Every structure is written in C-alpha cells, then in structure tokens.
Amino acid sequence: MPDATGPAEPDVSASGPLRGITVIAVEQAVAAPLCTRHLGDLGARIIKVEPRAGGDFARDYDDVVHGMSAHFAWANRNKESLALDLKHPLGQAVLDRLAARSDVLVQNLAPGAADRLGLGSASLRARYPRLITVDISGYGQGGPFAGARAYDLLVQSEAGSCAITGTPGHPAKPGIPLADIGAGLYAFSSVLGALYARERTGDGAAISVGLFDAVAEWMGFALNQARYAGAPPEPNGLSSPMVSPYGAYATADGQTLVLGTTNDREWQRLARRLLDRADLAEDPRYATNADRVARRAELDRVISDWAAERTLAECRAAAEKAGLGHARLNSAQEVLDHPQLVERDRWREVGSPVGPVLCLLPPPEVEGWTWRLDPIPALGEHTDRILAGLGFDRAEVAKLRAEGVAGPVG
C-alpha cells in the first residue's frame, strides 16, 4: 500500500478489490494501457505519465470517437494524466518521488528507453523493494530479438499466427490485436499474483512480458501440430483446421450461419437430427474427426446445400433443436445492439475530454464487486493535483511548468 505521504487521491468514488493500490503507467499504444485499465477497473489508482507534446501517441491514431481515437477510448478510462518530460532531470526526480509512494510501475517504452530514463527494473527495485515493476516489450529479455521494435502485426507475423489465419496462400492478421491484448493481460494477471505474494513476503517483483511470448503461447496447438505431425495447420477462413464440419454457410435470406461440431457425438446429431442423413452418420468414411477433416470439402458441400434452402432463423431453430452450437456472422455494427449485451445492460457511459462515451463493462461478473468506470483523461489534466499530492507547493509546480518539465505543451 502507498504510505501516508503518498500522492493525494483523486476526487472519485473508487471501489473494488484494488482500492488503495497506486499504479504508475509509463505507457503507450495498447498492451500496457490495456493492462493498467484493467487494474483501474478493479479500483486501483492509475497515474498515466505522458510526454508533454502529444502524450500517448495512441491519442492520435484516429478521431472517430468525437475527436478522440478508438484505441485510446478503449484502453484509458480510470486514469489520471500527468504530463511530464522524463528526459529532464527534474522530470525524472518527480517520477522517482512518485515511485517511492506507489505499488506498481508498468512501462512499455521502446527497447532501452526505460533504462536511459532511470526506469529500469533493477534500479527501481533496488531503491524500492516493495515496488512491482512490469516491463512489456516486443520479445522479452535476452535473445537476438531483445532490442527489436515490435508492433502487433510484426509480432503476429514473427510468431506464426498470421500464417494460420486467412485462407491457403492468403495469410491474414487477425482483426483484433492479439499480441497487444495477450501481453497486456499476462501483465495484468502477473501484477495480481505479485500483489498477493507481497502481502505474504513484503517484497515486490520484477515482471517482464513479451508480446512474442504471448502469441507463441497462444499458438500452442498449432506448434504441437507442426512439431509432432510434421506440418502446420492450414488456414481455412471461417473454420477450424482441426475440426470438421465446422464453418460458415450462406442461408437462403442472404445471411451467414456459423455451425459446427467438436466431437463424434455432435457429428452424429448433426447428421441424423439436423440434416436427416442417417447414411452420413453410418458411413465409416466420416466416423472420426480425423476422417471428417480429411473430407471437409464433401461435408461442407452437404451443409451448404442444406443451409441454402433455409432462412437463418430456420437454420438456427433446427440447430437448437438438434442440440448443436450455432451463431450468426455479425458485423461490428451489428454487435453494438446485440441482445446479449443490451438485455444484460452491459453498456455504460464514461466521461472523457470530448464528452460521455459508451464502453462495455469488464467481462467478469462478480457478486459484490462494483467496477470503477471513471473518465478518460485529457493530456496532463491531473498534473497539478498529482504534483501537489507529492508535496510540491504552488511555486514549485509553477517552476516545473515554466521550465518545461510538467504540464502539456500549448
């Protein structure tokens, strides 16, 4: 916990299991901001340290959210923004004072930047042994790629996920930033573990998470297939390289049914109850999943013909009656009004520099917990309050601003 001389708490009604925990976020883009946003959702105080000129560059990816970028709006609620020049010795001194009174420091700066700015884990942990430091990088510590710059597409390409996505001969990047999300969530869960361990030992921890390692872990089944079967799974669009039948089928009313099986029992239900094809159910050529994968095209043609004669509603009703999983291929626009979100009241408003914006509640549903949903900050919005909480008086704050150390440019 921060000591009694820690930075003054913001004027918010923070709640949740991490209330009282202070996190310094020297972050940019997606991976670290998503990690710290989740910590903030659980009640932690998040102090986002941003460059004075422009701040987190993700602020300017686009301007679709009433002038704010979609990525920034997604990953930055529940935060206070401290605009600070970390290249200036006085800026480093401010951050050092903040680190002395905080619980966690998360950073995902370019390779080598943290050490140059005095934010290296070894140095911080030597001075503040209760501090939990988190370094999020492209490729983790050591190895020939340790100093490489890494963005989501680059890492997904290097780690193989693009090669098993898309269609044969046409690899594709998954539509969501899996490398960023994976690294951010591994960092998030590691911080929770480190906080729990510190309650017992009194010691913090130095955590390092690489985007490449997160994607490589999620490639587990594909890497096993490449190692033990001698060939990687072939990408096959809206299907699975490991299971058949499993895919997307056009319906009579111009929509797309997503339907499939995951075991032999489901295959029997699909053949007998959905398709009314006992002959397929009894055909030894389709007896096992491996058999069906080998004859995927044959089964896909049968199901495609069946779906083409029915509306999506008729297909889904038949699949439900047969006890089979099914879905509609929705666009992002259609998900906005999805009844599973709307009827469970999953959308909430949060404040922002451009007015209220809608966001989703965090995925976990926990009885008795109240999620923290505080505003998305403007660049440097909380600079003066944070500095005052660190013990700087008005004259000292004015000097830091006048010398170009604190506060946003312009």
Side-chain angles (χ1 to χ4, degrees), residues 117-128:
L117 296 173
L119 301 178
S121 288
S123 173
L124 286 171
R125 294 266 300 117
R127 299 197 302 277
Y128 312 116

Side-chain angles (χ1 to χ4, degrees), residues 30 34 58 81 87 113 128 136 153 158 163 170 180 202 208-209 272 274 323-324 331 340-341 351 356 363 372 387 392:
V30 176
L34 193 62
S81 176
K87 295 180 180 179
Y128 312 116
I136 299 177
L153 171 61
E158 197 74 42
H170 300 280
D180 284 323
S208 172
V209 179
R272 295 179 187 275
L274 187 75
L324 297 169
S331 68
Q340 192 66 9
L341 297 176
R372 181 179 178 189
L387 293 174
F392 292 93

Side-chain angles (χ1 to χ4, degrees), residues 160-352:
S161 61
C162 293
I164 63 169
T165 307
T167 56
H170 300 280
K173 175 190 174 296
I176 61 176
L178 295 182
D180 284 323
I181 294 171
L185 292 184
Y186 280 119
F188 167 63
S189 62
S190 297
V191 168
L192 299 182
L195 287 169
Y196 180 73
R198 194 181 68 175
E199 289 298 306
R200 293 176 293 157
T201 67
D203 292 329
I207 299 166
S208 172
V209 179
L211 276 68
F212 180 83
D213 293 327
V215 179
E217 161 65 18
W218 287 5
M219 285 283 290
F221 81 91
L223 298 180
N224 279 343
Q225 188 175 22
R227 183 185 300 276
Y228 297 108
E234 281 285 324
N236 54 2
L238 282 172
S239 186
S240 165
M242 311 300 290
V243 182
S244 178
Y246 196 94
Y249 309 95
T251 61
D253 53 348
Q255 301 192 64
T256 301
L257 169 74
V258 182
L259 179 74
T261 62
T262 58
N263 55 59
D264 294 341
R265 296 185 302 279
E266 289 187 346
W267 158 245
Q268 289 292 318
R269 294 203 298 272
L270 187 147
R272 295 179 187 275
R273 301 183 194 176
L274 187 75
L275 303 178
D276 195 23
R277 292 287 302 272
D279 60 311
L280 293 178
E282 295 166 4
D283 192 324
R285 294 178 301 167
Y286 309 123
T288 69
N289 181 64
D291 295 329
R292 296 189 294 275
V293 168
R295 295 172 174 81
R296 182 192 304 277
E298 300 169 20
L299 295 176
D300 279 345
R301 281 194 296 273
V302 172
I303 299 172
S304 292
D305 291 345
W306 176 87
E309 297 175 352
R310 294 162 175 81
T311 66
L312 177 69
E314 291 169 337
C315 291
R316 298 194 74 171
E320 190 68 23
K321 186 176 180 180
L324 297 169
H326 53 89
R328 176 181 189 251
L329 180 62
N330 286 319
S331 68
Q333 196 73 31
E334 289 162 333
V335 174
L336 296 176
D337 298 316
H338 197 292
Q340 192 66 9
L341 297 176
V342 173
E343 293 183 21
R344 294 162 61 233
D345 194 25
R346 299 292 294 169
W347 290 105
R348 291 289 188 279
E349 275 192 353
V350 298
S352 83

